Amino acid sequence: MNKKFAGFALRKLAIMILTVFLISFAVFFIITLPPGDFLTNYIGRMADSGESVPPELVAELRAHYGLDQPFVVQYWKWISNILFHGDFGYSFLLSMPVTSVIKAYIVPTMVLSLVTMVFTYLISIPIGIYSAVRQYSVGDYLFTTIGFIGMAVPNFLMGIILMFISFKLTGNTMLGLFSPGMETAPWSMAKFIDLLKHSIIPVLVIGLMNTCSLMRTMRGQMLDELGKNYVMAARAKGLKAAFIRYKYCVRAALNPIASSIGWSLVNIFTGTTIVAIVLNLPSMGRVMHEALLDQDMYLAGSWLFLMAIMTVLGTFISDLLLAWLDPRARNEYLKG
């Protein structure tokens, strides 16, 4: 079985590599698809402000950044630099290497997204189990109502509401991840506590919709498992209801949750864009938004490429979890 599992993992890795390569081509094509480029937008803004850029300088800049070369040449230069040198290109918007931009913003973005993801699963799974076991109870109705409201209210609107409540209760809207003056201060217990306080609203806002959705999914799956014949057969043999629920039903009900990990993390990343603008968060979402508006092709393309890699890796992890949780999936994966 170990050999079969290793073969399954290697096949998945080969598919992942091919998928990532195809995605990189598609991402670069989409980024360069709109007419014009960063220099075109830059010249337009200069013209609107009454300034002019000499055509010789435009041609020189276009040649310097390789924007005058064919699409295939630009793509190969970009992807080969990533593969062989770890160089993601140059950000025209921020006038610095894309690698430096990613390093500056990836840590707060990753921390915020991972904390939100942990919050989402720690809240949604127990509540989903409780709602299924206590079906039609007061708690079930309460959580169901909260779930529908959470799925219906847009994230950015929830952010504004929570900022208003925070301002009314504490006199502070909790914008950003740090209080004024704390962002550049050296790390200390006071700075860490300040970060925790400012993280409450972003985590709640970003994680609310996914939490409510997964909560409903877990509830539905648990109800489906609790009504199956093997549960009644186990009860007839004298096994305790709690043992059956947590030994068999929960494990089977987790299959859709495990399969959602691949897109859940990326949904959190992409969902932080509007929320980051509203809450003034120092995350990659705001930078990505500006890069797309200004057609900063290397910055926008690199971030989309990294999100695609995370999606593929998340799908791979989901497959491994499904193979571990469900014998049926494991037999299907290891077949042959």
Side-chain angles (χ1 to χ4, degrees):
M1 178 171 175
N2 291 334
K3 290 183 178 180
K4 289 185 176 180
F5 193 82
F8 157 72
L10 288 175
R11 288 196 303 272
K12 281 290 181 180
L13 285 173
I15 295 173
M16 284 170 54
I17 293 172
L18 178 61
T19 303
V20 167
F21 175 76
L22 294 175
I23 288 175
S24 70
F25 187 86
V27 163
F28 199 82
F29 175 75
I30 292 171
I31 291 299
T32 57
L33 192 60
D37 49 39
F38 176 81
L39 285 178
T40 305
N41 291 338
Y42 176 74
I43 294 169
R45 289 197 300 269
M46 295 291 287
D48 292 339
S49 62
E51 300 181 29
S52 61
V53 181
E56 299 81 11
L57 179 59
V58 174
E60 182 180 343
L61 289 173
R62 200 175 296 278
H64 176 72
Y65 292 117
L67 299 177
D68 59 339
Q69 297 177 347
F71 166 78
V72 176
V73 176
Q74 293 185 47
Y75 167 74
W76 174 246
K77 181 181 178 181
W78 176 65
I79 195 65
S80 61
N81 283 334
I82 293 176
L83 293 176
F84 303 122
H85 305 290
D87 180 9
F88 287 85
Y90 190 80
S91 171
F92 309 122
L93 176 65
L94 300 177
S95 300
M96 60 191 302
V98 172
T99 306
S100 299
V101 179
I102 293 174
K103 287 180 180 178
Y105 289 95
I106 193 66
V107 173
T109 304
M110 286 291 293
V111 170
L112 187 61
S113 298
L114 291 176
V115 170
T116 303
M117 193 172 185
V118 171
F119 165 81
T120 297
Y121 285 99
L122 287 180
I123 297 297
S124 60
I125 293 175
I127 290 179
I129 295 172
Y130 172 85
S131 294
V133 173
R134 307 291 184 185
Q135 189 181 19
Y136 304 134
S137 66
V138 175
D140 180 31
Y141 283 121
L142 176 63
F143 289 128
T144 299
T145 302
I146 294 174
F148 283 131
I149 293 174
M151 294 172 65
V153 178
N155 286 355
F156 68 90
L157 179 58
M158 183 61 67
I160 295 173
I161 294 172
L162 290 179
M163 283 194 299
F164 176 77
I165 295 173
S166 174
F167 179 76
K168 284 295 184 181
L169 295 178
T170 66
N172 189 346
T173 56
M174 295 296 178
L175 282 173
L177 290 179
F178 296 99
S179 300
M182 274 290 186
E183 188 170 356
T184 57
W187 278 101
S188 61
M189 183 56 67
K191 183 173 181 177
F192 180 70
I193 294 174
D194 187 68
L195 173 63
L196 291 180
K197 288 193 299 185
H198 282 76
S199 298
I200 294 174
I201 291 179
V203 169
L204 286 175
V205 172
I206 298 170
L208 183 61
M209 185 174 292
N210 280 338
T211 300
C212 295
S213 177
L214 291 175
M215 182 178 69
R216 300 294 303 162
T217 301
M218 189 67 191
R219 179 184 183 274
Q221 288 297 121
M222 275 295 294
L223 287 174
D224 185 53
E225 293 297 325
L226 289 171
K228 288 186 175 179
N229 292 333
Y230 75 86
V231 175
M232 291 184 284
R235 291 294 300 274
K237 290 181 178 180
L239 294 178
K240 294 182 179 180
F243 176 81
I244 299 170
R245 285 199 297 266
Y246 296 106
K247 177 67 176 178
Y248 300 107
C249 297
V250 171
R251 186 166 182 170
L254 284 173
N255 284 0
I257 306 295
S259 64
S260 70
I261 290 178
W263 51 263
S264 289
L265 182 59
V266 178
N267 275 353
I268 292 172
F269 266 91
T270 55
T272 60
T273 302
I274 299 177
V275 176
I277 296 172
V278 172
L279 299 180
N280 194 30
L281 301 177
S283 70
M284 199 68 195
R286 294 174 61 192
V287 179
M288 180 66 183
H289 178 255
E290 294 172 2
L292 289 172
L293 290 178
D294 285 297
Q295 289 184 259
D296 193 349
M297 52 189 288
Y298 293 121
L299 179 56
S302 297
W303 185 244
L304 290 174
F305 183 46
L306 289 175
M307 286 196 295
I309 292 176
M310 284 189 289
T311 303
V312 174
L313 286 175
T315 304
F316 179 66
I317 294 172
S318 296
D319 289 339
L320 295 182
L321 285 175
L322 282 175
W324 174 66
L325 287 170
D326 193 345
R328 295 168 299 181
R330 181 163 58 247
N331 293 334
E332 182 67 26
Y333 286 149
L334 302 182
K335 188 181 297 182

